[in-house]
Amino acid sequence: MQHYFTDNTLGLNETFLMSDDIAHHFISVLRSNNGDKFEIVDSNHKLFIAEVIDKDSSEAKVIEIKNNSVELPVDVTIICGLPKKDKSELIVQKATELGVDHIIFLQTAWSIAQWKNNKASKKINRLSKIVRSAAEQSHRNKIPDVKYLDSINDLLKESYDHKLIAYEESAKKGEKADLINSLNNTKPADSIAAFFGPEGGISPDEVSKLKANGYKTCGLGPRILRTETAPLYFLSSISMWFDLLK
Amino acid sequence: MQHYFTDNTLGLNETFLMSDDIAHHFISVLRSNNGDKFEIVDSNHKLFIAEVIDKDSSEAKVIEIKNNSVELPVDVTIICGLPKKDKSELIVQKATELGVDHIIFLQTAWSIAQWKNNKASKKINRLSKIVRSAAEQSHRNKIPDVKYLDSINDLLKESYDHKLIAYEESAKKGEKADLINSLNNTKPADSIAAFFGPEGGISPDEVSKLKANGYKTCGLGPRILRTETAPLYFLSSISMWFDLLK
């Protein structure tokens, strides 16, 4: 069943107007008719089943409340040093499927890519559309947010219960326990954030700054992962831990 | 340090000729000189450090034996229903980084893509190059193999100790334990294979056939993953389990 999001709240038996985007997709593109059903998540992250009442006026009605949520029990942020080319698009799409809540792209000392002037807002705009579409496709109860920060000092103003740095040097040294230890200490509803360097890596100065602010380095297994692969490994591990093991 | 593979065996202090590919990349592209060092893995999956002796004749010498291996302790196969467009390229690159040993692309009943006639051999050729490059970049001790099978009956001739089907219906039903149970039963050196449907899904007939041949369905968390994301989740979970938890 198609899955959409609305910025409004909904309730059982409520009639509402489908947004232009939903009406365009469900009525015009998919050629749905009156009586056809779709999933819709409201601004409280609640999932409903609705049906088209009048396709010409885009009117729909909530016919069922669904109580299921596919969200992770923890609030997960990935912080990515600006990656090259269109890797940011791959990251946001896959991270959304894998359950991320917040995505931050950060200008770091060794980022080869630069999102200067109005490039950042254009990029974030485009990435937000990809995220929304991925959230619909993976039937999420919420749409993750994406933002750009141009300095690590701005990142340090963000507060998280658990803070990690995916660190290649940890992986090379055969470090195994730090990710697991952090997950062991993470309780439901806690926030957890992980920092991933860009292709050029994380500078020693950045590692020091992050560590001084409570970030802990951790390895993600012994193989060297590309900058866009590491967050996907991290999110899959979070899901395995909280969705399957706990 | 650059990381390459050779089809020959190597030993300490042995001199050898760099292959054309390695010489082209290390000498011509990277402009390395005599005395510059690189990692090289031989046909026994052993890692050595070598240095260039004479760049004009591509002569190199093994100067150190390294005993580390980044390979998973289990032999992992992913079996992918033919995905659309260039998703196969994303799958093989990321799966190689994440430690896969064998990748099979399978023509299934509901595959929208078709690799007919000589398309399959061209595809496999191209995918094998991507795999080799990813194995170099992630400093693997082996190059995973990639092959194409045009029927599920051919797949059933392949033998594995543990056989899984990533099954969306399991995920929807909130199934949590089957992947973990399988991993719990998997001992080092065992082989484990997981089947991932294409965009169109797995047909009921295929699920029955696979189940009749010892495949067990399992969920990969509650969110619906795209066909190219599911194998990456599976491989990350395998790595978390064997590289970090055990």
Side-chain angles (χ1 to χ4, degrees):
Chain A
M1 199 181 288
Q2 287 298 314
H3 184 96
Y4 300 110
F5 292 90
T6 173
D7 295 333
N8 303 317
T9 58
L10 292 173
L12 190 62
N13 297 323
E14 191 172 321
T15 56
F16 62 99
L17 285 183
M18 301 158 80
S19 70
D20 289 348
D21 282 351
I22 298 176
H24 173 74
H25 189 253
F26 197 60
I27 310 266
S28 306
V29 177
L30 299 180
R31 297 166 184 270
S32 302
N33 285 308
N34 294 347
D36 285 347
K37 295 177 182 58
F38 56 95
E39 293 183 357
I40 187 155
V41 172
D42 78 353
S43 57
N44 291 325
H45 313 308
K46 283 198 175 144
L47 174 65
F48 302 89
I49 307 290
E51 74 175 20
V52 181
I53 298 293
D54 179 4
K55 66 175 185 168
D56 298 323
S57 65
S58 303
E59 200 182 346
K61 182 179 177 182
V62 175
I63 58 168
E64 190 182 343
I65 301 177
K66 291 283 215 184
N67 286 316
N68 54 319
S69 170
V70 300
E71 298 303 310
L72 287 165
V74 290
D75 187 73
V76 186
T77 301
I78 58 170
I79 304 145
C80 304
L82 295 189
K84 288 200 278 188
K85 295 182 192 165
D86 54 3
K87 285 181 182 175
S88 54
E89 301 187 5
L90 178 74
I91 291 171
V92 301
Q93 185 190 67
K94 299 293 163 236
T96 299
E97 290 175 63
L98 294 167
V100 77
D101 296 286
H102 317 281
I103 304 166
I104 294 173
F105 286 100
L106 179 71
Q107 179 75 54
T108 67
W110 293 352
S111 295
I112 294 156
Q114 303 234 323
W115 293 5
K116 284 197 168 158
N117 303 321
N118 63 351
K119 188 173 179 186
S121 62
K122 277 186 190 169
K123 274 272 192 185
I124 294 300
N125 201 3
R126 173 158 174 72
L127 296 175
S128 298
K129 284 179 187 160
I130 293 171
V131 163
R132 186 183 190 96
S133 169
E136 288 175 357
Q137 185 155 3
S138 53
H139 290 233
R140 293 281 306 265
N141 292 67
K142 63 184 283 193
I143 304 173
D145 52 77
V146 192
K147 69 178 173 185
Y148 167 74
L149 296 178
D150 69 359
S151 106
I152 205 161
N153 294 327
D154 287 339
L155 173 66
L156 298 179
K157 294 173 195 156
E158 309 274 338
S159 146
Y160 307 105
D161 297 318
H162 308 275
K163 294 177 271 196
L164 293 166
I165 309 169
Y167 199 42
E168 203 174 276
E169 296 306 318
S170 300
K172 280 187 192 161
K173 281 180 194 146
E175 183 283 308
K176 297 176 81 165
D178 289 342
L179 176 61
I180 304 299
N181 288 343
S182 286
L183 294 180
N184 253 330
N185 292 330
T186 304
K187 300 178 295 294
D190 279 3
S191 59
I192 182 166
F195 182 101
F196 303 90
E199 288 85 357
I202 313 174
S203 77
D205 183 50
E206 287 167 337
V207 174
S208 305
K209 255 190 186 167
L210 290 167
K211 279 187 166 177
N213 282 273
Y215 281 77
K216 290 177 187 162
T217 56
C218 72
L220 301 175
R223 289 164 298 284
I224 293 169
L225 302 176
R226 286 178 200 231
T227 185
E228 73 277 19
T229 313
L232 312 185
Y233 181 110
F234 171 72
L235 290 165
S236 301
S237 299
I238 295 260
S239 166
M240 189 204 199
W241 187 266
F242 289 104
D243 290 328
L244 303 184
L245 271 171
K246 295 292 146 187
Chain B
M1 199 181 288
Q2 288 299 313
H3 184 96
Y4 300 109
F5 292 90
T6 173
D7 295 334
N8 303 318
T9 58
L10 292 173
L12 190 61
N13 297 323
E14 190 172 323
T15 57
F16 62 99
L17 286 182
M18 300 158 81
S19 70
D20 291 347
D21 283 350
I22 298 176
H24 173 74
H25 188 253
F26 197 61
I27 310 269
S28 305
V29 177
L30 298 180
R31 299 166 183 268
S32 303
N33 285 309
N34 293 347
D36 285 348
K37 295 178 181 57
F38 56 95
E39 292 183 358
I40 188 156
V41 172
D42 79 353
S43 57
N44 292 325
H45 313 308
K46 283 198 175 143
L47 174 64
F48 302 89
I49 307 290
E51 72 174 21
V52 180
I53 298 292
D54 179 4
K55 67 176 184 168
D56 298 322
S57 65
S58 304
E59 201 182 344
K61 184 179 175 181
V62 175
I63 59 167
E64 191 181 344
I65 302 178
K66 291 282 214 184
N67 286 317
N68 54 320
S69 169
V70 300
E71 298 302 311
L72 288 164
V74 290
D75 187 74
V76 186
T77 301
I78 58 169
I79 304 145
C80 304
L82 295 189
K84 289 200 276 188
K85 297 184 192 164
D86 53 3
K87 286 182 182 174
S88 54
E89 300 186 7
L90 178 74
I91 292 171
V92 301
Q93 185 191 67
K94 300 292 163 237
T96 299
E97 289 175 63
L98 293 168
V100 78
D101 296 285
H102 317 282
I103 304 166
I104 295 174
F105 286 101
L106 179 71
Q107 180 75 55
T108 67
W110 293 352
S111 295
I112 295 156
Q114 302 235 323
W115 294 4
K116 282 195 170 160
N117 305 320
N118 63 352
K119 187 173 180 186
S121 61
K122 277 186 190 168
K123 274 273 192 185
I124 294 299
N125 201 2
R126 174 158 173 73
L127 295 174
S128 299
K129 283 179 188 160
I130 292 170
V131 163
R132 186 185 190 96
S133 168
E136 288 174 357
Q137 185 154 4
S138 54
H139 289 233
R140 294 279 307 264
N141 292 68
K142 61 184 284 194
I143 303 173
D145 51 77
V146 193
K147 70 179 174 184
Y148 168 74
L149 296 178
D150 70 358
S151 106
I152 205 161
N153 294 326
D154 288 339
L155 173 65
L156 298 179
K157 293 173 195 155
E158 309 274 338
S159 148
Y160 306 105
D161 297 319
H162 308 275
K163 293 176 273 196
L164 294 166
I165 310 169
Y167 199 41
E168 202 176 278
E169 297 306 318
S170 301
K172 282 187 192 161
K173 281 179 195 148
E175 182 283 308
K176 298 176 82 165
D178 289 343
L179 176 61
I180 304 298
N181 288 343
S182 286
L183 294 179
N184 254 329
N185 291 329
T186 303
K187 299 177 296 294
D190 278 3
S191 59
I192 181 166
F195 182 101
F196 304 90
E199 287 85 357
I202 313 174
S203 77
D205 183 50
E206 287 167 339
V207 174
S208 306
K209 254 190 187 167
L210 290 167
K211 280 187 166 179
N213 283 273
Y215 282 77
K216 290 177 188 162
T217 56
C218 71
L220 301 176
R223 288 163 299 283
I224 293 169
L225 302 176
R226 286 179 200 232
T227 187
E228 73 276 18
T229 313
L232 311 185
Y233 181 110
F234 171 72
L235 290 165
S236 300
S237 300
I238 295 258
S239 166
M240 189 204 199
W241 187 265
F242 289 105
D243 290 327
L244 304 184
L245 272 172
K246 294 292 147 186

